[in-house]
Amino acid sequence: MSLETTAGNYVRQLQHAGLRPGKRLVDLILASGDAAIDPLIDLATSIPLLDEKPPVAYAPIHALRLLGELRPLRMVEPLLKSADAAFADQNHARDIWQQEMPQMIGRSGGSAVALLWACVDDPNRSAIEHDMALLALAYATVIDEDVREPVVAGLHQRLMAGNDRALNAGIVRAMAYLRLADMYGDVMARYRASAVDQESMPAAMARQMLLATATFRVADDAKLSLWERYDEFGPFPESEDTEYQ
């Protein structure tokens, strides 16, 4: 049996893993390295599975998080392309996937930055893709401090020069995730100029997040280990999946 076939078999087992996969299965998948990446991408982007009953509903989340451990650059495009479908509805599994997808891309650090800017600057990409790419850029800066200064400068330049209100809302959200208090004045100036979509990112929320006194930044979530992520964000048992604890 080839390594690719073996890795694919391991990844398929994630559909029966329940609330979290066992350590042995995780170790086997991670040890498979590159051979596991394409099966993991296929499973992580199988968005309809998120609407299935547990344990199947959690499989794309498991695959997504394992991609965040392996950090392959080729996951960036398919994950971003899946963003619109993932936001088409709301449920427990979808909420987790939506929250963590940009984090997993961001865990690639500086290597993903050029791809993410290409998405942000592409007018043919959807608003959701833009938003997810912008958040991934914020997450990338806490993984790779070397890209923080140029990414922050890029966010600021685009906010001040651009008139796409929806895109500017995504930029402000990324700034808020990084708690860029020194940019508060410029951000509020863009709100006063009606250059930011307040329905997507209200000025009050931007103010609160930018000026928060807590030392924690939302973007710091990208630093969580795999098992810390399960402890912090779940998935947690729901009434219909208690049997899978």
Side-chain angles (χ1 to χ4, degrees):
M1 186 178 293
S2 69
L3 182 58
E4 287 75 15
T5 302
T6 301
N9 288 336
Y10 292 149
V11 171
R12 279 190 289 275
Q13 292 179 41
L14 293 172
Q15 296 192 48
H16 310 286
L19 295 172
R20 65 173 72 193
K23 185 178 185 305
R24 181 175 182 276
L25 179 57
V26 166
D27 289 344
L28 288 169
I29 292 172
L30 294 181
S32 299
D34 191 71
I37 290 172
D38 287 338
L40 285 171
I41 291 173
D42 288 343
L43 183 55
T45 56
S46 296
I47 303 304
L49 293 183
L50 295 168
D51 297 322
E52 297 290 331
K53 291 184 178 180
V56 175
Y58 303 137
I61 298 169
H62 302 324
L64 180 65
R65 287 173 171 172
L66 289 170
L67 286 170
E69 296 298 303
L70 291 169
R71 309 183 190 193
L73 199 56
R74 67 179 184 267
M75 72 176 172
V76 175
E77 273 301 312
L79 289 178
L80 289 174
K81 289 291 188 183
S82 298
D84 285 309
F87 277 78
D89 203 353
Q90 292 293 117
N91 63 36
H92 183 48
R94 281 176 179 263
D95 287 347
I96 297 172
W97 195 97
Q98 293 162 12
Q99 175 178 298
E100 297 205 15
M101 184 272 277
Q103 293 182 37
M104 297 305 101
I105 293 177
R107 284 175 62 82
S108 297
S111 63
V113 166
L115 286 173
L116 294 170
W117 278 133
C119 176
V120 170
D121 294 333
D122 184 350
N124 295 317
R125 304 295 282 259
S126 71
I128 292 175
E129 288 177 89
H130 285 156
D131 283 352
M132 294 298 100
L134 287 162
L135 292 182
L137 282 165
Y139 288 121
T141 69
V142 304
I143 297 296
D144 187 349
E145 289 289 339
D146 289 341
V147 302
R148 178 181 171 83
E149 184 174 340
V151 166
V152 169
L155 292 171
H156 182 262
Q157 185 274 328
R158 285 166 175 81
L159 176 65
M160 301 309 292
N163 293 313
D164 184 328
R165 298 176 73 249
L167 183 63
N168 284 346
I171 292 172
V172 171
R173 186 177 296 105
M175 289 177 162
Y177 272 35
L178 289 170
R179 211 164 48 82
L180 300 178
D182 58 326
M183 295 192 176
Y184 172 77
D186 285 343
V187 169
M188 290 299 116
R190 297 304 281 157
Y191 275 103
R192 289 193 296 273
S194 298
V196 182
D197 179 10
Q198 288 227 44
E199 185 174 341
S200 175
M201 186 63 184
M205 181 182 297
R207 182 181 299 109
Q208 181 180 7
M209 294 179 70
L210 286 167
L211 301 180
T213 57
T215 57
F216 174 78
R217 301 168 296 184
V218 176
D220 288 337
D221 284 341
K223 296 179 180 179
L224 292 173
S225 72
L226 178 67
W227 304 116
E228 287 173 334
R229 194 166 294 282
Y230 280 99
D231 291 341
E232 184 78 15
F233 300 123
F236 300 116
E238 297 179 282
S239 57
E240 69 271 21
D241 62 50
T242 304
E243 62 186 287
Y244 296 107
Q245 294 184 59

